Amino acid sequence: MRVVIIGGSHAGIACAESLRQNGYDGQITIIERLGGLPLERPPLSKAFLAADPDDESRFALRNKDWYANHDITLKTGVEVAAIDAGSRSVSLADGEALSYDRLVLATGATPRRLGGLDAMSGVYELRHPEDARSIRDAATNAASAVIVGGGYIGLEVAASLTKTGVNVAVFEAADRLLARVASPPISDFFTTLHSDAGVDLHIGSHVADFINDKGAFAGVTTANGKTLSADMLVVGIGVAPETGLAEMAGCAIGNGILVGSDMATNVDGIYAIGDGALVQTDGTDAIGGEAAVHIGAGIRIESVHNAQDSGERAAAAINGHAPPSRQAPWFWSEQYDARLQSAGLVPPPDDDTVFVRRPGKRETGFSVWSLKGGMLYAVEAVRDPAGYMLGKTCLERGLTPDAAQLADPAFDLKAFVAG
Ligand SMILES: Cc1cc2nc3c(=O)[nH]c(=O)nc-3n(C[C@H](O)[C@H](O)[C@H](O)COP(=O)(O)OP(=O)(O)OC[C@H]3O[C@@H](n4cnc5c(N)ncnc54)[C@H](O)[C@@H]3O)c2cc1C
């Protein structure tokens, strides 16, 4: 039996590892279009941007011996060009064809682009190590940068560049930073953090025009007609799932490759995992208790935890094992000296939702608890690992502390969780 995995990043490698841990002893081949040893993605907007270019091996997802030690064939620098689901084979761009018994699509997602910038130098996106290298190189000669997009990646890059002495301006079209993923109190916290660090924030503001100086990015014009000169532009406006190969194979597609809770697509023998997979479940096998419904029907999560978890789920299905138990989805971000940890999925603000701020143990630490319809949906903790752990446990056990109790620093949350 042979398992072929397309994509050698967080999800693909987690799946290969889990197959071996589950006792699978057939062939495993990972095909990755980028060259070199696969590297972790989260540091690319954080420590990697300040790291010594000769010391990248510390960011490797696995060290180079790991693949041979686990009898996993890693083919890098070659793209899968086509899938023939009928004959169960994939064709590589270099002409090689490989047959498979099970195929795992771990092809991730691609940054969305702004129109009209393709021909301009000095414009960057950030998904892969080569993108981060380009940003790092550009930043060494730049005095100023514009970032379009006030999501996690845009803000992490803003913090990293600011720390190296670059003057940064951030443009976010929504009415708050992190609007798609974080609660309003967390948006407020990061707004203050960046303002205090000297970042020029343009919230609720579009870039009206990009200034092109002889083919190079030279700055932007703001919606109210001001000109802002800058040496480089980073675009961080979200990603689109990679679905091309899946479509070619006959897989059903929505805003991602459609899979069930076992990560199987509608095409026999083909699985999809990681950022590209859109999971459709009835919620009954989701995280414990009532909180199950929150990650119920139709969800595509972009995080390391989801990449790992979905890889393990596909591996269990391929091996015919029971799936791993559910954890609340978790995520982290690092900006300046602040570490955010979140668990669950933050609901969009509405009349039915309250966001309760709870002080942490440390003076500058706190957590924000999102309750919707009286039920806990998410916990976001800044400089407060204990608050995060307690919140994650509540989510996994289906426990919802009372809003007034949560806001009260004297309330013994630990005892509440212990039951
Ligand atoms: C800068 C940055 C910072 C992040 N920070 C955090 C963080 O702090 N916390 C967190 O939880 N998450 C973070 N994330 C998100 C996290 O890294 C992603 O959720 C994770 O990488 C998803 O893994 P994946 O394997 O599904 O996809 P990807 O990492 O996108 O990998 C997909 C791989 O498939 C390969 N591929 C695609 N098509 C083909 C083909 N046809 N043939 C061969 N290979 C192909 C691609 O080259 C790529 O290497 C960050 C992401 C980025 C980019």
Side-chain angles (χ1 to χ4, degrees), residues 5-13 31-34 38-46 61 75 78-82 92 105-110 126-129 132 152-153 156-157 239 242 245 273-277 301-308 310 330-334:
I5 299 172
I6 308 178
S9 181
H10 289 271
I13 290 171
I31 303 157
E32 168 52 55
R33 73 169 155 216
L34 303 176
L39 302 185
E40 290 179 274
R41 299 308 194 265
L44 301 182
S45 46
K46 309 176 185 85
L61 269 159
K75 283 175 178 288
V78 61
E79 184 169 69
V80 173
L92 310 193
L105 301 171
T107 44
T110 311
L126 180 51
R127 180 75 192 176
H128 300 302
Y152 280 121
I153 290 182
E156 288 179 355
V157 173
V239 294
E242 280 270 357
L245 283 177
I273 58 177
D275 277 17
I301 299 179
E302 296 160 10
S303 73
V304 166
H305 166 243
N306 176 64
Q308 178 84 31
S310 58
W330 54 262
F331 184 83
W332 80 97
S333 176
E334 281 152 22

Side-chain angles (χ1 to χ4, degrees), residues 132-151:
R133 286 181 198 114
S134 303
I135 292 174
R136 188 171 59 196
D137 289 352
T140 55
N141 299 312
S144 55
V146 165
I147 296 174
V148 175

Side-chain angles (χ1 to χ4, degrees), residues 135-213:
I135 292 174
R136 188 171 59 196
D137 289 352
T140 55
N141 299 312
S144 55
V146 165
I147 296 174
V148 175
Y152 280 121
I153 290 182
L155 294 181
E156 288 179 355
V157 173
S160 299
L161 295 188
T162 300
K163 283 200 286 189
T164 64
V166 176
N167 288 320
V168 177
V170 173
F171 285 80
E172 168 54 55
D175 61 359
R176 61 183 174 99
L177 299 176
L178 301 167
R180 200 174 55 88
V181 286
S183 63
I186 291 293
S187 298
D188 292 346
F189 170 80
F190 281 108
T191 302
T192 305
L193 192 69
H194 282 276
S195 292
D196 289 352
V199 174
D200 179 15
L201 293 174
H202 299 254
I203 298 172
S205 177
H206 288 277
V207 167
D209 203 7
F210 296 93
I211 302 165
N212 185 336
D213 181 13

Side-chain angles (χ1 to χ4, degrees), residues 15 18 260-263 271 273 285 308-318 321-327:
C15 182
S18 190
S261 56
D262 60 354
M263 311 315 291
Y271 297 78
I273 58 177
D285 63 344
Q308 178 84 31
D309 179 70
S310 58
E312 288 172 11
R313 248 160 242 291
I318 290 169
H321 291 185
S325 58
R326 285 279 181 195
Q327 276 188 1

